[in-house]
């Protein structure tokens, strides 16, 4: 039986990565809550996760602003703009309350993924020890 | 690891909000300053925030904040007839600052709330990272 971490851990490792990325995007929104003209962004979690599950390309890292980066972890098309409920006069579309709620929810789901992973590891260790 | 970027994003927001708090305190401190000409009078200052796009991030997802500049309020400088004042000009007028204290207090509360929000984000991310580090123990 070939033992690969990818098959043993299932989708949870990918889910953790995407949740981490979403934490970063939501933190950007909250940080720019007072910046004129800033447009709040978010990702379509389901689309990104299905992309992460099938895409096996090796990504390249850009080290300069002018580089075209391919195969990065989040496709640019799934990084969307939020539709504002009540846009403000200065063009900012961040809704502080909504962003905070989304951030709390995302943090909770990150911890859920962590717990799943933790149990997977515990299971593997138990199987290895054979106790 | 995307979670590490949260520290620089929220950190930049904290520094921007503290600049805002600084201008508020400067404005409130100078609310009653008088001078002998409208050019010398204190004008209320406000920072202008701008988003910083990260250079090495193709998705342009991580966006910090920077203070693009400080602008001075262009509202009219109020003048008052006080011929006995040592700073009065030839016609007996002194020029006050154009700081609106009520506006500044509201600005202060807004800045302090934004600061707290970013601290909260920072703390949550730190906890998530610490939990990730202790995975499988």
């Amino acid at each position: 039986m070939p033992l690969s971490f990818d098959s043993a851990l299932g989708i949870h490792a990918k889910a953790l990565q995407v949740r981490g990325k979403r934490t970063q995007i939501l933190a950007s929104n909250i940080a720019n809550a007072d910046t004129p003209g800033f447009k709040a962004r978010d990702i379509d979690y389901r689309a990104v996760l299905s992309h992460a599950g099938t895409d096996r390309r090796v990504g390249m890292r850009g080290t300069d602003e002018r580089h075209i980066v391919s195969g990065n972890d989040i496709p640019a098309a799934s990084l969307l703009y939020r539709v504002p409920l009540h846009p403000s006069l200065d063009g900012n579309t961040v809704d502080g309350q909504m962003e905070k709620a989304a951030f709390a929810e995302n943090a909770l789901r990150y911890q859920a993924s962590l717990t799943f992973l933790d149990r997977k590891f515990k299971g593997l260790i138990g199987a290895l020890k054979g106790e | 690891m995307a979670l590490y970027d949260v520290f620089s994003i929220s950190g930049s927001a904290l520094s921007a909000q503290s600049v805002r708090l600084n201008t508020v305190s400067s404005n409130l401190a100078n609310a009653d300053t008088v001078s002998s000409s409208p050019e010398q009078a204190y004008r209320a200052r406000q920072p202008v925030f701008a988003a910083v796009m990260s250079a090495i991030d193709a998705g342009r997802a991580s966006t910090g904040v920077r203070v693009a500049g400080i602008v001075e309020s262009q509202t009219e400088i109020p003048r008052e007839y006080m011929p006995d004042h040592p700073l009065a000009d030839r016609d007996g007028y002194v020029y006050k600052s154009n700081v609106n204290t009520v506006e500044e207090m509201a600005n202060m509360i807004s800045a302090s709330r934004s600061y707290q929000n970013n601290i909260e984000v920072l703390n949550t991310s730190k906890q998530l990272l610490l939990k990730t580090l202790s995975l499988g123990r």
Side-chain angles (χ1 to χ4, degrees):
Chain A
M1 182 195 88
L3 182 64
S4 117
F5 271 121
D6 255 0
S7 59
L9 300 180
I11 192 114
H12 301 302
K14 299 260 166 30
L16 205 65
Q17 265 180 15
V18 180
R19 286 286 171 211
K21 192 75 184 168
R22 188 162 181 237
T23 311
Q24 184 197 350
I25 293 164
L26 294 177
S28 295
N29 289 347
I30 294 174
N32 282 289
D34 297 321
T35 308
F38 182 82
K39 307 294 179 213
R41 309 192 80 175
D42 202 351
I43 51 173
D44 181 359
Y45 180 76
R46 187 186 294 269
V48 175
L49 196 64
S50 63
H51 174 89
T54 54
D55 197 34
R56 296 242 176 257
R57 278 180 302 161
V58 179
M60 286 193 289
R61 204 162 65 89
T63 51
D64 190 286
E65 211 173 350
R66 289 160 291 180
H67 289 169
I68 297 171
V69 181
S70 73
N72 58 315
D73 47 354
I74 291 218
S78 53
L79 189 58
L80 308 170
Y81 289 98
R82 236 191 245 303
V83 178
L85 288 175
H86 17 245
S88 62
L89 272 178
D90 63 0
N92 186 307
T93 62
V94 179
D95 184 330
Q97 282 71 33
M98 288 250 308
E99 297 298 337
K100 270 175 83 174
F103 189 86
E105 182 238 346
N106 188 59
L108 209 66
R109 288 184 189 270
Y110 185 94
Q111 295 191 44
S113 281
L114 264 186
T115 312
F116 282 129
L117 270 179
D118 201 48
R119 296 288 152 82
K120 291 260 185 194
F121 278 122
K122 293 241 164 75
L124 281 176
I125 290 170
L128 286 171
K129 283 184 175 166
E131 283 163 355
Chain B
M1 183 75 190
L3 268 180
Y4 285 109
D5 292 337
V6 174
F7 289 96
S8 60
I9 295 166
S10 293
S12 71
L14 289 182
S15 114
Q17 295 296 345
S18 70
V19 168
R20 188 173 166 201
L21 273 175
N22 259 323
T23 57
V24 167
S25 71
S26 152
N27 290 346
L28 283 177
N30 283 292
D32 293 326
T33 310
V34 290
S35 58
S36 44
S37 74
E39 290 78 37
Q40 287 172 336
Y42 182 86
R43 289 178 179 274
R45 279 133 215 251
Q46 299 293 346
V48 179
F49 291 165
V52 191
M53 299 296 175
S54 160
I56 310 167
D57 182 21
R60 303 277 176 199
S62 62
T63 320
V65 198
R66 74 190 165 87
V67 177
I70 310 274
V71 291
E72 290 192 333
S73 161
Q74 293 306 312
T75 51
E76 206 187 336
I77 298 285
R79 63 175 193 174
E80 205 167 302
Y81 185 62
M82 291 171 88
D84 297 335
H85 198 285
L87 283 177
D89 66 359
R90 248 184 322 182
D91 305 324
Y93 285 106
V94 290
Y95 298 87
K96 298 181 143 187
S97 71
N98 63 355
V99 175
N100 182 343
T101 42
V102 180
E103 222 170 72
E104 295 300 331
M105 289 305 282
N107 206 356
M108 181 189 79
I109 293 165
S110 166
S112 118
R113 287 282 179 265
S114 294
Y115 196 94
Q116 286 171 15
N117 276 348
N118 282 295
I119 291 272
E120 195 70 40
V121 168
L122 213 64
N123 269 334
T124 309
S125 306
K126 195 185 99 184
Q127 277 168 13
L128 290 182
L129 269 175
L130 284 175
K131 279 191 179 157
T132 315
L133 284 174
S134 62
L135 191 65
R137 288 213 186 130

